[in-house]
Each structure stands twice: as structure tokens, then as C-alpha cells.
Amino acid sequence: MFYDKGLRFECQMCQYCCSVEPGYVYLTKDDIEKASALLNLSFSEFIDKYCRYVDFGSYYLVSLQERENYDCVFLSSKGCGIYHARPLQCRTYPFWKHVIENEDSWKKEGESCPGIGKGGVIPKKEIERLLKKGEEPPFVVIKK
């Protein structure tokens, strides 16, 4: 692997990954439980207020809502409004399979993420732990 000696990454708090471009933040059951507890909401209240369903044909995945400008519903001028309960997808970025597939994909992600290539070296073992963690299945809702 190109990251055998680790990769440099340190979040620069630019908030680009939380805004600017449209996208999905798929939630696990654990993500919803933690965020709803933090906000003192029931599981279903949290989904109703802050989530949307993404159609995958025979089922739906639950994703956080975005504002019209593509900012995450929890992004504020002070950063993430649920930082201590932020979703797994957010906690594992940028160590996603398609981002670290090869050196070119890592460098390409670095064009929009100023934290890539900065800070201390994240060891291979930690990268692989984050990759594995990021493979946890999202919350699925069967509606069809």
C-alpha cells in the first residue's frame, strides 16, 4: 500500500468537508442514538427533524439534511453543532476507501482538503482501523 509508512493529516478546521458541495452523510444506528441523546431527542424525533431518506431502490438509507447552500444541517460559525456525537462518516474522514485507494486519489482529495499532507503522520495501523470502522453498515429503512 502506498500508505505503508503512514500519511500526514491534520484537520485545518476549514469546514469544506461539511459544506460547499452536495453530498450525503449516511448515518449508522449508533450515530443516530448518540446524536439524539446529545440533543435530548428520541430516535424518531432526530430523524424527523435532521435527516432525509436516500432512495436506493428497494430500501432507503438515512442521511443528514443539508441546507440550500449544501452546508450540513449542524454546521455553524463555531463548527459542528454535534461534534462530540458526530457521525462515523465524519469521524473517519479522509480515511475512506475511495480516498486512499491509491496515491493519486489521496492527492486528488488533497486539492479540496487542506489538512491532507499536514500535521503528524497517521500510522498505517490507525488508517486501517479507521477504514474498518468506516465499513460499519448505515441505518437502513425498508419502505417499499
Side-chain angles (χ1 to χ4, degrees):
M1 291 301 209
F2 85 96
Y3 60 85
D4 280 343
K5 294 182 180 178
L7 294 170
R8 291 189 179 282
F9 174 72
E10 183 175 66
C11 181
Q12 304 296 296
M13 308 303 257
C14 73
Q15 302 177 350
Y16 186 86
C17 58
C18 307
S19 61
V20 182
E21 296 178 0
Y24 299 104
V25 177
Y26 295 114
L27 303 174
T28 66
K29 185 173 186 265
D30 190 52
D31 290 335
I32 298 167
E33 288 170 349
K34 287 178 180 176
S36 61
L38 180 74
L39 298 171
N40 201 25
L41 297 170
S42 72
F43 192 92
S44 60
E45 287 172 326
F46 178 85
I47 290 175
D48 290 345
K49 189 169 183 173
Y50 296 111
C51 298
R52 59 184 165 153
Y53 295 103
V54 182
D55 190 343
F56 273 79
S58 60
Y59 62 90
Y60 293 87
L61 293 181
V62 177
S63 175
L64 287 178
Q65 292 178 13
E66 305 177 308
R67 295 190 182 104
E68 283 187 30
N69 65 355
Y70 304 121
D71 285 359
C72 173
V73 68
F74 290 110
L75 183 62
S76 74
S77 61
K78 296 179 182 179
C80 180
I82 59 166
Y83 185 82
H84 295 293
R86 69 193 183 282
L88 176 66
Q89 186 175 324
C90 304
R91 287 183 279 131
T92 58
Y93 180 81
F95 301 104
W96 299 345
K97 189 175 182 177
H98 75 277
V99 173
I100 64 165
E101 183 176 6
N102 56 51
E103 193 169 3
D104 288 340
S105 59
W106 179 252
K107 287 179 180 177
K108 178 80 174 154
E109 191 72 11
E111 292 173 14
S112 60
C113 176
I116 289 178
K118 302 248 178 23
V121 173
I122 310 298
K124 178 182 179 182
K125 191 172 187 173
E126 176 64 5
I127 293 169
E128 290 179 342
R129 184 190 74 77
L130 291 167
L131 275 172
K132 184 174 173 117
K133 191 89 176 132
E135 292 173 359
E136 289 183 18
F139 186 64
V140 175
V141 178
I142 308 297
K143 282 203 165 189
K144 297 199 173 185

